[in-house]
Amino acid sequence: MADRDFTLPAVHGTYILNMETFHRAKEKIVLKKAFGNIDLTVITEEQFLDEFESRVHEGIKTNVFFLNAHCYNIAQTDRDYYRIINEADYLLNDGVGIEIGAKLFDIPLAGNLNGTDLTPKILKRCEKNGFSVFVLGATETNLKSAIQHFRRDYPGLKIAGAHHGYFQSNHEIVEAINRSHADVLIVGMGVPLQEKFIAGFDRELFCTARLGVGAFIDFASGNVPRAPYLFRKLRIEWLFRLLREPKRLWKRNVGSLIFLCRILRYKWKHS
């Protein structure tokens, strides 16, 4: 399928302010730059954590998503997902593919803000500030193990509720989340399902902050291993995952080449 030439609220190569974000954020400005046809948040890890903490304290509804090469590819053929991530309050860079693309688009990234490494730091801030958390996603087995590890690693964390990701009724889950009075919602159901769930019930959900964290709950369970430190240090965690699950992930890694072709073509067309 050919890439769609979606219309952006941004001007390529310049800092932009997503006006939807501006209105919802009560004049709290979030800086973004155009990464191809996607609005990518430009922020350091510490700045994000401080802003996250401040926004939850002030009751500012905040949707946080992540962008990697696979997400970029999905956004080129899924118009709803494209719109959702462009309207996110924060769309954070995840992975070496986005770092390569950022150099192409002259975006000064301060580090890799992937959800697997960032979410534990978010949970630490929640523990410190008394923010309650609802965890949604993964299998029932992995979810239970993850919750046990959260209670061990963050003994002061208020876990308002949890539910696995294989539910039948969206509305019943939204009601359960709202009944828990959670401040923060962690959703790990994979892209683009988690983003569509959060955005689709944006007005119905009472929780202040909502994050789409991919496989984080599975990793936190301990039942799905992360790549060894050396793989992560060399930025080839994708290779470890491919070796473990070749049948499921080979298409995604072929997609990395498609991603590079797409951003090079976009750069050529708009330069």
Side-chain angles (χ1 to χ4, degrees):
M1 182 180 292
D3 294 354
R4 300 180 183 179
D5 188 13
F6 298 147
T7 302
L8 276 181
V11 178
H12 175 70
T14 60
Y15 278 103
I16 64 103
L17 171 62
N18 184 307
M19 294 310 294
E20 172 77 8
T21 299
F22 180 85
H23 178 72
R24 287 178 50 184
K26 302 177 183 177
E27 302 185 3
K28 279 186 175 291
I29 296 175
V30 177
L31 289 178
K32 294 187 177 183
K33 286 198 79 173
F35 184 101
N37 61 353
I38 304 294
D39 300 342
L40 183 67
T41 304
V42 181
I43 196 168
T44 68
E45 179 183 279
E46 199 64 24
Q47 285 174 329
F48 168 76
L49 290 170
D50 289 343
E51 289 184 18
F52 174 86
E53 185 177 314
S54 174
R55 290 167 75 103
V56 177
H57 270 304
E58 295 176 34
I60 300 171
K61 282 195 173 183
T62 303
N63 291 340
V64 181
F65 304 136
F66 297 86
L67 181 73
N68 60 26
H70 178 59
C71 300
Y72 187 93
N73 284 342
I74 292 175
Q76 306 313 304
T77 57
D78 186 329
R79 190 175 185 88
D80 288 337
Y81 177 66
Y82 166 86
R83 173 186 55 78
I84 288 166
I85 62 174
N86 270 311
E87 290 178 354
D89 299 289
Y90 293 89
L91 183 65
L92 304 177
N93 58 289
D94 175 358
V96 67
I98 301 302
E99 289 187 18
I100 292 170
K103 290 181 172 63
L104 187 68
F105 295 117
D106 298 318
I107 301 176
L109 297 180
N112 181 16
L113 302 182
N114 69 86
T116 304
D117 291 325
L118 186 62
T119 306
K121 297 172 184 177
I122 293 171
L123 292 176
K124 196 68 179 175
R125 291 290 184 109
C126 290
E127 178 188 30
K128 171 187 171 186
N129 289 276
F131 303 150
S132 57
V133 175
F134 192 103
V135 184
L136 175 65
T139 64
E140 188 168 3
T141 298
N142 285 357
L143 177 65
K144 286 182 178 179
S145 295
I147 295 298
Q148 288 175 354
H149 293 160
F150 293 160
R151 297 191 190 283
R152 177 197 66 196
D153 298 337
Y154 317 102
L157 180 66
K158 299 177 181 178
I159 300 176
H163 199 284
H164 61 76
Y166 298 89
F167 48 86
Q168 298 298 316
S169 171
N170 287 334
H171 291 283
E172 288 181 6
I173 289 296
V174 170
E175 289 176 3
I177 295 167
N178 288 342
R179 284 197 304 270
S180 76
H181 301 290
D183 300 304
V184 177
L185 173 63
I186 304 289
V187 184
M189 300 194 302
V191 174
L193 185 60
Q194 61 195 17
E195 289 82 7
K196 290 184 176 183
F197 174 82
I198 291 170
F201 294 95
D202 182 69
R203 294 188 178 183
E204 288 86 349
L205 287 166
F206 297 162
C207 47
T208 303
R210 309 82 173 270
L211 301 94
V213 299
F216 167 73
I217 301 171
D218 290 320
F219 291 138
S221 74
N223 298 328
V224 178
R226 280 198 75 184
Y229 175 77
L230 181 60
F231 280 74
R232 284 181 272 157
K233 185 72 174 177
L234 295 175
R235 311 305 303 282
I236 54 172
E237 188 169 1
W238 60 269
L239 178 59
F240 175 81
R241 297 183 68 184
L242 177 62
L243 292 173
R244 286 194 71 253
E245 302 179 86
K247 290 184 179 180
R248 187 174 75 87
L249 295 177
W250 74 268
K251 287 185 179 180
R252 178 177 297 193
N253 286 279
V254 171
S256 296
L257 296 177
I258 296 173
F259 163 76
L260 289 173
C261 290
R262 279 175 164 152
I263 62 173
L264 286 169
R265 183 170 59 191
Y266 187 96
K267 179 69 174 179
W268 178 76
K269 284 180 63 177
H270 294 84
S271 61

